[in-house]
Amino acid sequence: MSEPNETRPAIQDDIRVSEQQESKSGTEAFSRRTFLGVGSAGLATAALTSLVVDAQERGNIAKGEQDHSASNPGPENKPLLDENPNSNFPPPTDYGNIIPVWYSFDLTHMRIQEGGWTNQVTQTVLPSSTDIAGVRMRLTAGSFRELHWHTSDEWAYMLYGNARVTVLNPDGTIFIGDVGKGDLWYFPAGFPHSIQGLGPDGTEFMLIFNQGDFSEDNTFLISDWVAHTPPSVLSRNFGLPESALRKLPTNDLYIFPADLPESLAQDMARDGVSSLPKYTWKLGDMAPKSRTRGGEIRVADSHSFVAAKNISGAVATIKPGGLREMHWHPNASEWQYYISGKGRMTVVLPHGARTMDFNANDVGFVPRIAGHYIENTGDTDLQVLEVFATGDFQEISLNNWIRRMPPEMAMAHLNLDANAISKISADPGIYILPR
Ligand code: MN
Ligand code: MN
């Protein structure tokens, strides 16, 4: 056996990006027809498609699309249809009905207070996501998300600006750190924490909770506790006269304006700022897990961002025409936030396949072990945040599986010849395929 040739077939030299190489991306319009294999993706796509839907059925669907059958004389929501062409008029390989895999933060209401706002996509609006909920938040410069704690772990991705976070450990030490765009933080369940917007224009971030029915309106707030404790108990507990406690808040603060904090160096110089765990992480400083002419992906899980025991995440940047390869995750469902660009994802389950369009600020969901892939259908980079309720990021590549089994097995199942199989990538770390 010539192992090097097995693991590095020629095709990968074309896919992998070298330091000098740059993507030659055009703006070839992406259509359902390229999806069907008429475009450059070519014969392999067509061969696999035929396994799912036989030619007869595909012919019937195609005929229905071309004649009067697909006409809709009734009402329609044109802006929504224009934004989601594949959702309403699916690729012919879609079938059956599966659980919801799409929602958008732009369909949620914002809770606005002086100092910022928040909105959330939880199990209430995306019922299939039972183990992850997402909350977006904006804090103006100086404003706080009030000191609080909650039952789930919290993982965050910074979308904009700068923030200071603090978290208290059970051993009495406190962590204080500053984060900027693209950075992460992680707070273990039950650990009390705060977030404050910094200059020049505060911050905006995406919070991820490993509990689908989490609600940002249902956290333990320090103001709630003091407001609902008799003054005599507060006095004894704090060792302060009741007269010193007259100005304690009597209502939720939740989000509220405040002065900008001292410099990080000054805050760090205080007693007890000696947290051993590091609760912030610079995702952008990590080497990409994979970089190809189709894009790149950075992954942070507990093997790198050690404090993040129960939640992991990745940011995939998919170039125009690029394909986040056919794969699944054996140990966790995937909750996605589309940061920028336009894409289309297909999710395959044993009883159905569903394609949806995604735009910036949309949420995607993939149940554990469900097959899926994402295509960049726009003419700018598609950036997707992928998060998992596990500290151990795992991915299974369909290409890798086909190549790792004895070729006779693959031939018997897929009717591909040995030459075709040898051209499929055996690399489990490609992640994004170029146009
Ligand atoms: Mn929190
Ligand atoms: Mn995935």
Side-chain angles (χ1 to χ4, degrees):
M1 287 277 286
S2 54
E3 185 62 22
N5 288 342
E6 282 291 306
T7 54
R8 297 279 163 189
I11 190 169
Q12 284 167 45
D13 295 335
D14 298 334
I15 293 171
R16 288 272 181 210
V17 91
S18 68
E19 288 308 313
Q20 293 79 24
Q21 266 178 318
E22 271 307 310
S23 162
K24 286 177 267 170
S25 70
T27 52
E28 176 191 326
F30 229 89
S31 70
R32 302 181 61 238
R33 300 308 146 204
T34 56
F35 178 95
L36 286 173
V38 179
S40 58
L43 298 173
T45 310
L48 290 172
T49 300
S50 70
L51 294 172
V52 183
V53 180
D54 67 44
Q56 175 77 44
E57 189 181 343
R58 215 165 57 231
N60 286 342
I61 293 170
K63 191 163 185 294
E65 287 174 2
Q66 281 153 22
D67 67 18
H68 198 55
S69 310
S71 62
N72 176 15
E76 58 186 19
N77 183 334
K78 195 72 169 49
L80 205 55
L81 284 175
D82 288 346
E83 202 165 63
N84 302 277
N86 298 281
S87 309
N88 185 254
F89 195 61
T93 40
D94 276 16
Y95 78 112
N97 285 300
I98 69 166
I99 56 172
V101 298
W102 180 94
Y103 205 76
S104 181
F105 274 92
D106 283 323
L107 293 176
T108 68
H109 69 268
M110 293 156 81
R111 172 180 174 175
I112 306 170
Q113 292 184 214
E114 188 184 0
W117 54 261
T118 184
N119 56 9
Q120 58 187 9
V121 171
T122 70
Q123 218 180 316
T124 306
V125 291
L126 185 58
S128 33
S129 182
T130 57
D131 50 8
I132 297 183
V135 173
R136 213 169 49 137
M137 190 173 286
R138 165 89 169 115
L139 297 173
T140 57
S143 295
F144 274 108
R145 165 65 171 94
E146 181 187 347
L147 292 161
H148 71 283
W149 68 103
H150 36 68
T151 51
S152 67
D153 300 300
E154 170 175 328
W155 187 100
Y157 178 80
M158 284 286 290
L159 294 165
Y160 172 80
N162 299 289
R164 178 159 307 166
V165 299
T166 73
V167 54
L168 184 75
N169 292 302
D171 69 4
T173 58
I174 194 164
F175 174 87
I176 304 178
D178 283 0
V179 282
K181 188 180 177 184
D183 294 347
L184 313 179
W185 73 69
Y186 183 85
F187 303 146
F191 286 29
H193 52 275
S194 70
I195 310 157
Q196 184 175 21
L198 298 178
D201 185 34
T203 182
E204 192 173 322
F205 47 87
M206 173 62 59
L207 299 169
I208 302 299
F209 300 94
N210 50 355
Q211 189 183 320
D213 61 358
F214 180 88
S215 173
E216 185 61 13
D217 299 327
N218 245 331
T219 60
F220 291 86
L221 305 175
I222 196 170
S223 60
D224 271 346
W225 204 5
V226 297
H228 297 282
T229 304
S232 58
V233 173
L234 292 171
S235 171
R236 282 188 61 199
N237 186 74
F238 294 146
L240 293 170
E242 286 186 31
S243 60
L245 303 171
R246 280 197 201 106
K247 287 186 173 173
L248 286 177
T250 51
N251 290 311
D252 284 10
L253 296 170
Y254 192 71
I255 290 174
F256 65 100
D259 294 333
L260 282 165
E262 301 291 343
S263 73
L264 183 62
Q266 279 171 287
D267 271 358
M268 297 280 287
R270 298 171 206 274
D271 285 348
V273 187
S274 52
S275 169
L276 216 52
K278 191 176 177 316
Y279 291 110
T280 55
W281 185 252
K282 290 204 169 297
L283 182 68
D285 285 358
M286 296 178 77
K289 193 172 179 72
S290 162
R291 182 159 180 257
T292 68
R293 287 189 294 108
E296 62 184 38
I297 183 165
R298 284 185 169 77
V299 176
D301 70 0
S302 58
H303 302 293
S304 48
F305 182 13
V306 177
K309 294 267 182 277
N310 302 319
I311 301 175
S312 52
V315 172
T317 303
I318 307 168
K319 292 192 178 295
L323 170 70
R324 175 85 169 85
E325 69 171 316
M326 297 168 79
H327 71 278
W328 67 92
H329 307 279
N331 61 342
S333 51
E334 174 176 338
W335 193 99
Q336 303 165 338
Y337 179 66
Y338 286 76
I339 299 168
S340 61
K342 288 180 81 69
R344 159 171 78 191
M345 176 171 70
T346 302
V347 177
V348 180
L349 285 164
H351 50 280
R354 182 79 166 107
T355 301
M356 299 290 287
D357 297 289
F358 294 86
N359 292 284
N361 214 24
D362 289 351
V363 171
F365 179 74
V366 184
R368 186 169 72 89
I369 75 172
H372 57 287
Y373 52 91
I374 306 169
E375 297 158 280
N376 183 339
T377 52
D379 49 18
T380 59
D381 284 1
L382 172 66
Q383 234 191 355
V384 188
L385 177 68
E386 310 173 349
V387 293
F388 309 86
T390 171
D392 182 27
F393 173 88
Q394 291 182 4
E395 177 160 325
I396 305 273
S397 155
L398 180 62
N399 280 340
N400 180 237
W401 188 32
I402 291 170
R403 275 306 303 285
R404 285 298 171 191
M405 64 180 76
E408 294 74 18
M409 280 173 57
M411 285 154 65
H413 282 78
L414 300 177
N415 297 323
L416 294 171
D417 64 35
N419 183 47
I421 287 170
S422 72
K423 288 180 177 159
I424 296 174
S425 169
D427 190 337
I430 291 288
Y431 295 98
I432 299 167
L433 297 155
R435 183 200 292 281

